[in-house]
Amino acid sequence: MTNDTSGLRLRGITKRFGTFTANDAVDLDVVPGEIHCLLGENGAGKSTLMNVLYGLYQPDGGQILIEGVPQKFTNPKQAMAAGIGMVHQHFMLVEPFTVAENMMLGNEGGFVLDKNAARAKVRELAERYKMPVEPDAVIEELPVGVQQRVEILKALANDAKYLIFDEPTAVLTPQEIDELMAVMQVLRDEGKAIVFITHKLREVRAIADRITVMRRGKIVGHAEPGTSEADLAELMVGRAVDLRIAKSAPAAQDVRLQVRDLKVANAAGGIVVDGVSFDVRGGEILCVAGVQGNGQSELADALIGNIPPLSGTLTLDGVDITRARPAATIGAGMGFVPEDREDDGFVGTFSVAENLVLNRVTQAPFSRGVALDLGAIAANAEKLKDEFDIRTQAVSSPISSLSGGNKQKVILARELSRDLSLLVASQPTRGVDVGAIEFLHRRIVEERDKGTAVLLVSTELDEVEALADRVLVMYRGKVVGVVGPDTPRDVMGLMMAGASHEEAVRAAAEQPTPLVEQVHEAAVHHTEASEGQEGNR
Amino acid sequence: MSTATIALRDEVIRLDQTESREARRARLSSGGLMAGIGLVLLVLAFRTKGEARYALSGYFDAVQLPTFSLPGLPTVLVCGLITLAVGAGFLGGRLNPRLRAGAATLAGIAVMLGLVTWAASGVGLPFQISNQLAGTIALATPLVLGTLGGVLCENSGVVNVAIEGQFLVAAFTAATVGSVTKSIPMALVAAVIAGVLMAAMLAVFAIRYIVDQVVLGVVLNLFASGLTGFIFDQLVQPNSSQLNSAPIMQAIPIPLLSSIPLLGPVLFNQTILVYLAILSVFLVAFLLYRTRWGLRVRSVGEHPEAADTVGISVRAVRWQAVLLGGVFAGLGGAFFTIGSTGAFNKDITVGNGFIALAALIMGRWHPVRAALMAVFFGFVTQLATQLQSLSTPMPSQFLLMLPYIATVIAVAGLIGRSRGPAADGVPYTK
């Protein structure tokens, strides 16, 4: 085996959808024992390339070579047989099934299911790769991080040599990301060849052995693992990007939002916000940080009036809004950027212009009597399109045709085009390109500088660091503490796991080793041990 | 970071619980419903005269069991009070959640007993319990088979509104083939083939041509009604002695078991279709939950992409499930002709396919639960018939509405929102 043919090689892969070229003569080498990062913005063609590799799409040109042998995959089964495993961004797990059932699907053995054999197989894999999962746990009841563990084990189940991780961190919490990184390193050290697709620069720098950057369907460059985030961002976006927007110290003003002893239950009846109290002043950004699912979403929903609180009070500019419905809270000057953009942020089939006035459509100047003033709606849209740099062919195009970043710009433009007393923004940059993040962040800071109180809910520590004037950490529905934005990351991480500020500071001082390395070391020992056993056989 | 964070991540976060909004709504609506019916019973109690007689045996049974009587007013009164109390318990939220299912069952029995006692009081004839049970089984048989057809179809992700149409074509085919061949087995086989052909039409348009499945189902029902009606008018009616006089299935008593008093003749002296229906419930449950094929069917109904990425052909599995569903629907359809009078009549299935569909949804797409729901519908329908023959004070039109009212109540109040297979009705295209 010469160095030229080892591993998995893509040569000149081209994939077109109609007139649109998603992949244009792409070359990529994936070598055992290496983590190869494929970096690029949403829509750069990364996922298309991997779907070609996995047999989900047929390429219009180019070749896939494994150990020098040309391959042709017309379905995923063939790709799997050739040793390719994929960890999908949207997990390919059947939610009401158990872990064991998901693992055996497609490879069940005899006609009558042998669930004991399936359980044993799960335990064996979990043991081998040190990824504990309970074979009888039902997927939909598991935290996302554990679900992903199952997805990884599934990819490993038939001894995949080449593993594709398609944006695996998009749905994970910071701790889960650390853990995933450790797992990926273990797999690399076992000799797996790994493709890691992402647009998050920090992760690339943390783990990549090799970096390839894609833009608009083409490979635009390779980079060394040590390349700075700013350089990587420039390569990815095609222009210089401010990763950390300039922000002045907050001008202290009066309290605008007052939250006292708030208790909120989720749809299933769990008390997810439990006695939360805090204030947000005008001209400051209060970040609510925490691992996903610790009550932040319900807190935001209670503020806008989607969920009536069980108890407690909410006061905005001295007016009680505890039981106000969304129409009333919007009327009181609350702007709201929902966490789930696609479901709650806009009406997909409506035009950009219509979505831009969605919560003001009954008011002047957009309607007169029962009739809409289409001219005013269009003029408003043109103005905001320029102001917010919304990239769309026309404001009359349906919003569903826009990219994630531009959809989010529409939502933010709609909210910021009113006079606000409070802006509640949940995960405003989730799944948004680096270029658009910069813009969205700048607009949020500008709104703060106008004297608006801003409550930002984020699970991304990068975002918290970049924007927050104060950080409120939530854990299991309770406030763990309120700290400054300059709090070290590991302290913040521990607080997000429930430790008080003092405990977190102490623990971080005692144990400075990042989680990644700890797990890594443990796993390396394990690998050596298992290799020893094989030698004895 | 500390190892504590690793441990934290594995455990599912448990929070203090309050009642979920959905559970609260279901509790209040079912409580209100029970309290309301309880009040109605209380009013009825004071208009109940004399006593109600219940006969345990039919007139011609070998072993005659005694006929017993319940005093009218006190029985209805007690039943009304029990229902009201359970309803109030639900409304007030004082009832321990663990006791709720039992209390609701008790209230259900009280409603039935109260209603029947009121209706049968002061009437000369006794209420025939054995008739009630036998009728329930007879009416439930096609419903069970139809709902199982739907269970298979919908678990694979294809909505089946066309059970009615499958019934109708199968009933017609069984009658004509039975008439021509004078053979029950031939008629059954023909009915199954007819059911499968109807299923194939559903499959080809739903899976291959991605037609909206609800619209498609409605169209197939109209097609079945039109087709059988047309052939019946043009061909069968004029020659009804040759084409519409199929043999009727005879009851096959199972030795020993069939001579158990009361339940014996009801359960163990039935036609082959009844036995098939009972076996089919277990067969479908086994297929869906214990076999490779069932796992694949459920996976393409829940998350077809996941099935595709492990090399399962989504369309092929859906085809298989829909066609197998047609087998059961075909058997169910046969019951309407060769299982009862042997003759076909226009639209002989009178909406039973839709009741089977309701049973499927109320049974939350699970074969055993759906079959139990089908039996419940059979029970209520038979109750309506029985009460009619007692010449009760209730208007007969109201009695005919009873099964459908029970459907609405059960779906809206007692069951609440039920979640079907996630990809049910969603065509799979790459």
Side-chain angles (χ1 to χ4, degrees), chain B residues 194-238:
Chain B
V196 171
L197 283 178
M198 282 298 285
M201 284 181 68
L202 177 69
V204 80
F205 287 111
I207 303 171
R208 177 84 178 81
Y209 294 110
I210 312 180
V211 176
D212 182 284
Q213 291 168 14
V214 175
V215 174
L216 172 63
V218 172
V219 169
L220 283 178
N221 287 335
L222 294 174
F223 168 75
S225 169
L227 181 75
T228 54
F230 174 74
I231 303 178
F232 182 73
D233 279 347
Q234 297 298 315
L235 215 63
V236 175
Q237 185 84 307

Side-chain angles (χ1 to χ4, degrees), chain A residues 41 337 457:
Chain A
E41 293 203 284
V337 178
V457 176

Side-chain angles (χ1 to χ4, degrees), chain A residues 124-174:
Chain A
E124 181 202 312
L125 274 170
E127 173 68 20
R128 173 156 174 231
Y129 293 104
K130 279 276 178 279
M131 285 190 267
V133 284
E134 176 53 48
D136 289 321
V138 176
I139 295 294
E140 60 195 349
E141 287 165 11
L142 291 172
V144 178
V146 182
Q147 289 186 16
Q148 188 174 58
R149 223 180 275 166
V150 179
E151 177 87 359
I152 296 172
L153 286 175
K154 209 174 121 191
L156 290 167
N158 32 359
D159 286 322
K161 289 198 195 82
Y162 309 96
L163 283 173
I164 306 166
F165 286 80
D166 187 6
E167 305 232 7
T169 59
V171 289
L172 298 185
T173 64

Side-chain angles (χ1 to χ4, degrees), chain A residues 54 76-77 80 91-94 96-97 104-106 108-113 115 140-141 143 149 175-176 178-179 265-272 475-476 497 511 513 515 518, chain B residues 1-3 5-6 8-22 286-287 289-293 295-296 298-299 302-303 305-312 419 430:
Chain A
Y54 197 55
K77 194 108 184 166
M80 276 187 274
F91 303 147
M92 291 298 161
L93 300 174
V94 184
F97 282 15
M104 75 197 295
L105 185 65
E108 299 92 343
F111 182 71
V112 176
L113 296 179
K115 291 198 176 164
E140 60 195 349
E141 287 165 11
R149 223 180 275 166
Q175 284 90 342
E176 285 169 340
D178 281 352
E179 197 176 291
N266 64 10
I271 297 180
V272 283
Y475 174 72
R476 296 199 181 181
Q511 206 175 22
T513 332
L515 180 68
Q518 275 178 45
Chain B
M1 278 179 241
S2 77
T3 45
T5 53
I6 303 176
L8 282 174
R9 237 156 295 129
D10 276 10
E11 88 190 65
V12 177
I13 296 178
R14 301 250 177 257
L15 300 150
D16 291 347
Q17 281 287 320
T18 172
E19 194 177 28
S20 79
R21 268 161 277 165
E22 201 172 302
F286 175 78
L287 275 177
Y289 297 100
R290 290 274 186 275
T291 68
R292 172 175 66 195
W293 184 76
L295 190 75
R296 292 181 171 198
R298 288 183 293 132
S299 75
E302 274 293 334
H303 195 341
E305 293 81 11
D308 192 17
T309 54
V310 293
I312 294 169
R419 194 185 71 121
K430 278 201 229 183

